[in-house]
Amino acid sequence: MKDDIERVLIDEEVIEKRLDAIAAKVERDFPEGTLLVIILLKGALVFAADLLRRVSRQLEIECLNVASYHGGTDSSGRVDFLDRGFPEVKGRHILLLDDILDTGRTLHAVKARLAEAGAAAVHTAVLLAKDKIRDEEVSVDYVGFRIGDEFVVGYGLDYQGRYRNLPYVGVLKESVVGK
Ligand code: 5GP
Ligand code: MG
């Protein structure tokens, strides 16, 4: 698996330090009361697990399965909600977690859906944000790292379902993506 990586963009230690800072900010920013965390699967799984263990607040967790990428390295332009149900969010203060902000379509669609369902407030955190013009303008409250407009894997992010368990964020070799 590691042989497929061209270069490491953000290593594990750097990510962990950044998560300490984001967790501290989350603790300061949210009002008293139980927080509802919504994790966008599967990409935000690793980010969420590492971040939430640093947040010493009462919280509940819900997960949503959405897809905007369908196995390749380009966004399909459509956001599919893959779950049968939708969590009860009426009146709740929500922290929405995603792995990466790219075109902005995913977070835009999910935030709209949460607002429609009556959420009191939605704060958003992403591990990564690509430096590019977005198809949908979306405000994000916590950004782990800003990166260039290139396809990355690891720390939850996949290529064709694989590489999510790499402990760092990296770029795949061209020979792997081309295959
Ligand atoms: P958006 O809707 O903002 O275009 O994209 C969000 C989703 O696209 C992310 O949750 C992620 O699943 C996928 N995505 C966007 N950029 C990348 C990338 O560089 N690498 C991987 N593995 N997934 C990405
Ligand atoms: Mg994803």
Side-chain angles (χ1 to χ4, degrees):
M1 183 171 64
K2 286 180 179 151
D3 295 342
D4 293 350
I5 298 299
E6 170 80 40
R7 73 199 135 87
V8 174
L9 216 58
I10 311 163
D11 72 33
E12 202 174 357
E13 264 176 59
V14 174
I15 295 173
E16 285 176 355
K17 283 220 181 79
R18 186 74 187 116
L19 295 189
D20 287 338
I22 294 174
K25 208 160 180 300
V26 167
E27 286 176 15
R28 282 199 303 272
D29 290 353
F30 276 88
E32 282 307 312
T34 304
L35 175 64
L36 177 60
V37 179
I38 297 185
I39 303 169
L40 297 187
L41 299 179
K42 303 166 192 150
L45 202 56
V46 176
F47 172 46
D50 283 351
L51 177 67
L52 295 179
R53 280 177 296 172
R54 292 170 158 81
V55 176
S56 85
R57 284 283 297 272
Q58 292 290 0
L59 57 84
E60 292 167 4
I61 296 176
E62 292 283 356
C63 297
L64 278 180
N65 244 298
V66 295
S68 63
Y69 267 50
H70 300 278
T73 58
D74 278 310
S75 186
S76 71
R78 206 180 70 206
V79 178
D80 298 324
F81 286 77
L82 307 174
D83 302 286
R84 286 190 174 190
F86 197 76
E88 183 53 66
V89 299
K90 208 177 176 69
R92 301 296 303 268
H93 283 88
I94 292 167
L95 175 62
L96 176 62
L97 302 182
D98 202 5
D99 50 0
I100 185 166
L101 177 64
D102 182 21
T103 66
R105 289 199 183 104
T106 303
L107 285 179
H108 182 83
V110 174
K111 282 177 95 171
R113 187 75 182 265
L114 290 170
E116 225 175 73
V122 182
H123 283 63
T124 309
V126 293
L127 177 71
L128 307 169
K130 282 189 186 172
D131 189 12
K132 68 191 280 185
I133 294 167
R134 310 210 189 284
D135 297 340
E136 295 284 358
E137 252 331 301
V138 55
S139 69
V140 176
D141 302 275
Y142 314 98
V143 175
F145 303 92
R146 295 183 192 279
I147 64 169
D149 188 11
E150 61 183 338
F151 188 79
V152 296
V153 296
Y155 207 78
L157 292 107
D158 73 308
Y159 173 59
Q160 298 188 335
R162 291 171 291 132
Y163 305 101
R164 295 191 195 277
N165 55 321
L166 281 174
Y168 48 79
V169 174
V171 177
L172 285 171
K173 286 180 181 160
E174 230 169 84
S175 57
V176 175
V177 181
K179 256 190 253 173

